[in-house]
Amino acid sequence: MESKKKTNIILFSGDYDKAMAAYIIANGAAAYDHEVTIFHTFWGLNALRKDEPIKVKKNFMEMLFGKMMPRGANKMGLSKMNFAGFGPKMIKEIMKKHNAMPLPELIEMAKEQEINLVACQMTVDLLGLKHEEIMDGVEYAGVAAYLGGAEDGNVNLFI
């Protein structure tokens, strides 16, 4: 019996378009019956943040990071042509006209396809994020867990 192919993606970027690419690839790989893991680290964690503010106890630096980072996938900026937030509005309008799925829907599709969404615990701690601020259905792990999966991965991407 042939074992399932594995696709592992490190999502380091907090840019809407790059996160979208990661989730399009992940959903495509899952549709091809790959076991897929997206390991979110540093700014890529913003894709997993809940949209609404969550009351949690934080120190001053943790509060600052929380305020400076976008809350949720829909608030992430573009890697190019962000234009103080006007760029994302333009691209989302174009996507709507072309019936392209927005990032929050791609994330929901990933959950439905049982893609492993992993938040880097070290980065969660460094940025002062609390588990309550991260969407449900996310696992927490360190680099060793990522490397364990990537070691026998057929596709390994860094975005």
Side-chain angles (χ1 to χ4, degrees):
M1 186 169 100
E2 194 178 311
S3 65
K4 234 180 185 185
K5 290 188 176 187
K6 293 184 179 183
T7 295
N8 299 286
I9 300 170
I10 294 177
L11 181 57
F12 176 83
S13 176
D15 297 323
Y16 187 92
D17 47 324
K18 291 178 183 177
M20 209 172 135
Y23 274 89
I24 289 169
I25 293 165
N27 281 303
Y32 277 97
D33 204 31
H34 285 214
E35 182 183 317
V36 182
T37 298
I38 305 176
F39 186 81
H40 301 75
T41 190
F42 285 92
W43 317 121
L45 284 169
N46 291 318
L48 299 178
R49 288 185 74 195
K50 291 179 180 172
D51 296 333
E52 69 278 355
I54 306 295
K55 279 268 197 207
V56 288
K57 187 175 171 134
K58 291 186 173 197
N59 66 35
F60 181 70
M61 288 302 284
E62 292 171 340
M63 283 189 324
L64 275 179
F65 268 120
K67 294 226 181 277
M68 290 189 297
M69 296 184 309
R71 189 177 290 115
N74 229 13
K75 299 233 171 49
M76 295 165 73
L78 293 178
S79 61
K80 304 277 187 241
M81 301 185 293
N82 196 47
F83 303 129
F86 188 65
K89 288 183 175 103
M90 287 180 2
I91 197 74
K92 288 173 188 173
E93 192 59 39
I94 291 168
M95 287 168 52
K96 195 183 219 178
K97 285 181 184 174
H98 290 272
N99 295 317
M101 208 176 271
L103 181 55
E105 287 181 32
L106 288 168
I107 294 170
E108 283 307 309
M109 179 188 276
K111 287 179 172 182
E112 289 167 14
Q113 293 199 84
E114 298 180 358
I115 289 173
N116 302 310
L117 303 180
V118 180
C120 175
Q121 183 62 60
M122 182 196 75
T123 309
V124 167
D125 294 340
L126 285 175
L127 298 179
L129 294 170
K130 306 298 180 200
H131 288 208
E132 298 89 345
E133 297 177 283
I134 306 290
M135 65 178 61
D136 296 334
V138 173
E139 299 170 43
Y140 296 85
V143 71
Y146 168 76
L147 291 171
E151 189 170 46
D152 41 291
N154 302 91
V155 178
N156 291 293
L157 302 172
F158 184 92
I159 300 176

